[in-house]
Amino acid sequence: MDTKSIEEILAGHGVKPTANRILVMRCLAAAERPMSLAELECKILSIDKSGIFRALAVFKEKHLVHVLEDGGDGVRYEVCRSHDSDTDDDQHAHFYCERCRHTFCLEDISVPQVELPGGYRVSSVNYMIKGICPDCARRQG
């Protein structure tokens, strides 16, 4: 994704396109799967951990990223394909491989609608399926 496209996405969500934010968004957009803070830190050597975390916090607030709790080593981040800075309109299921510890997007599987009892309000949904991914299953035999 080029810088102009990233700047447009950030501006469309009310986020000032700083150099650090552009780098973090470029890295997330290029990733083939959701990434942890540690993985981002290894990929983006020009920004320290706190700078990456601050960008991610802004992205989360403005619905530019999904924050996934994978039940493994913490949280992972992926670009939200939502076109609204107030809500997420692209929620989908994820798969956590218990062998390789990678998290994969299952974009064709929607998060099921859940009817909550009165008085409850949803702030986020994390639909994670756990098991063994196809690559690990093949290696296992």
Side-chain angles (χ1 to χ4, degrees):
M1 186 178 296
D2 65 20
T3 301
K4 183 171 173 48
S5 297
I6 293 170
E7 288 176 348
E8 289 172 1
I9 291 168
L10 294 175
H13 284 262
V15 175
K16 183 179 177 184
T18 65
N20 284 0
R21 291 173 182 165
I22 291 168
L23 283 173
V24 172
M25 182 56 73
R26 179 177 288 125
C27 188
L28 285 171
E32 295 179 6
R33 58 185 176 78
M35 298 182 73
S36 68
L37 179 58
E39 290 171 322
L40 286 166
E41 191 178 9
C42 288
K43 293 256 186 207
I44 307 171
L45 301 175
S46 60
I47 308 172
D48 66 9
K49 180 190 263 185
S50 63
I52 296 170
F53 185 78
R54 283 192 303 273
L56 291 170
V58 170
F59 293 170
K60 178 184 174 192
E61 178 186 331
K62 296 295 188 170
H63 299 280
L64 279 163
V65 296
H66 291 293
V67 179
L68 312 169
E69 299 167 17
D70 64 17
D73 58 356
V75 298
R76 298 188 182 278
Y77 303 86
E78 72 173 332
V79 174
C80 181
R81 306 232 184 316
S82 174
H83 301 290
D84 189 332
S85 61
D86 294 323
T87 61
D88 293 339
D89 60 10
D90 73 331
Q91 296 206 354
H92 53 270
H94 294 86
F95 185 91
Y96 176 76
C97 180
E98 295 170 324
R99 174 126 329 122
C100 67
R101 297 186 176 140
H102 288 163
T103 301
F104 302 90
C105 292
L106 303 176
E107 293 182 11
D108 293 335
I109 300 175
S110 299
V111 173
Q113 189 68 30
V114 176
E115 291 296 323
L116 294 174
Y120 289 91
R121 291 188 294 180
V122 175
S123 63
S124 68
V125 176
N126 188 14
Y127 195 75
M128 185 69 63
I129 303 163
K130 296 181 182 182
I132 305 297
C133 72
D135 287 342
C136 289
R138 272 193 298 280
R139 284 189 286 248
Q140 186 176 0

